[in-house]
Amino acid sequence: MSLPAPTANEIEAAIRNIPDFPKPGIQFKDITPVLADARLFNGAIAELCKPFKPGSVDAVVGIDARGFIFAAAAAVQLKAGFVPIRKKGKLPYTTHEQDYALEYGVSTVAVHTDALKAGERVILIDDLLATGGTAAAAAALVRKLGAEILEFSFLIELRFLNGREKLQGFPVRSVVTY
Ligand code: AMP
């Protein structure tokens, strides 16, 4: 059974805005209502992998933590592997690490050293593109492993934060923009 495809407006209408979470001044985009609705979730995954046919991508790389939900579902749809990029200290095997700047301080993401082979074709998926720091750090890790990034795909893009500027040279798509 295939579900009728939702419009981007329908997906946007389901995203819940939570003011001042997790701290004052941040408006958190809560995607759990999209996940809970079978038609919206299926439609969101279809949009995230739209340019790619099953078998045309070696792996979908997902970014900790909500990115895993979308990236893993996209990997199944594309008959590709799934590779997690996690916050530092979570992956059990040997890792490469990459620091990136936060508004205050730095954070670090990591990937297993054998997660991708040189030349593998991958797409990166996260729930939301804000300043682009997380995605740019993820890209650095993927390139360190020698894989080829075909595209970045986000459910949500906060355009006013200019995250795309940190991802120059890569195609960037988003389903819903603010
Ligand atoms: P950035 O590195 O600034 O592009 O931040 C992107 C990461 O932080 C993503 O993994 C998002 O899940 C999370 N994030 C940033 N801003 C928000 C927001 N307003 N609502 C929900 N998640 C956010």
Side-chain angles (χ1 to χ4, degrees):
M1 186 194 73
S2 70
L3 299 164
T7 63
N9 282 344
E10 286 179 288
I11 294 173
E12 178 178 347
I15 295 167
R16 185 159 52 193
N17 293 313
I18 311 286
D20 299 320
F21 183 90
K23 52 186 180 182
I26 304 282
Q27 189 190 62
F28 192 85
K29 301 292 184 194
D30 176 17
I31 48 86
T32 60
V34 177
L35 304 178
D37 183 307
R39 192 172 71 89
L40 297 181
F41 188 27
N42 274 261
I45 298 303
E47 277 300 317
L48 285 167
C49 25
K50 201 173 190 172
F52 303 99
K53 290 197 174 63
S56 67
V57 168
D58 294 304
V60 181
V61 178
I63 304 177
D64 205 344
R66 288 176 297 281
F68 294 166
I69 301 164
F70 295 100
V76 172
Q77 175 131 334
L78 291 174
K79 302 202 182 309
F82 166 74
V83 169
I85 288 191
R86 299 213 63 181
K87 302 271 163 56
K88 180 183 171 161
K90 301 284 187 186
L91 287 170
Y93 183 59
T94 55
T95 57
H96 294 304
E97 294 183 351
Q98 179 69 44
D99 294 339
Y100 61 100
L102 296 174
E103 197 179 352
Y104 300 103
V106 293
S107 190
T108 306
V109 283
V111 72
H112 275 155
T113 50
D114 63 351
L116 293 165
K117 293 186 199 64
E120 283 193 313
R121 292 154 52 84
V122 309
I123 61 174
L124 278 83
I125 292 184
D126 201 0
D127 67 326
L128 187 144
L129 175 64
T131 67
T134 313
L141 290 176
V142 169
R143 295 178 85 189
K144 194 172 230 167
L145 295 172
E148 181 191 352
I149 297 171
L150 304 177
E151 181 180 274
F152 281 90
S153 196
F154 301 94
L155 186 69
I156 302 167
E157 177 178 359
L158 304 181
R159 277 250 154 117
F160 53 93
L161 293 174
N162 300 319
R164 278 174 186 255
E165 285 178 9
K166 291 210 182 75
L167 304 177
Q168 275 172 21
F170 302 111
V172 178
R173 282 190 320 117
S174 49
V175 180
V176 172
T177 57
Y178 292 88

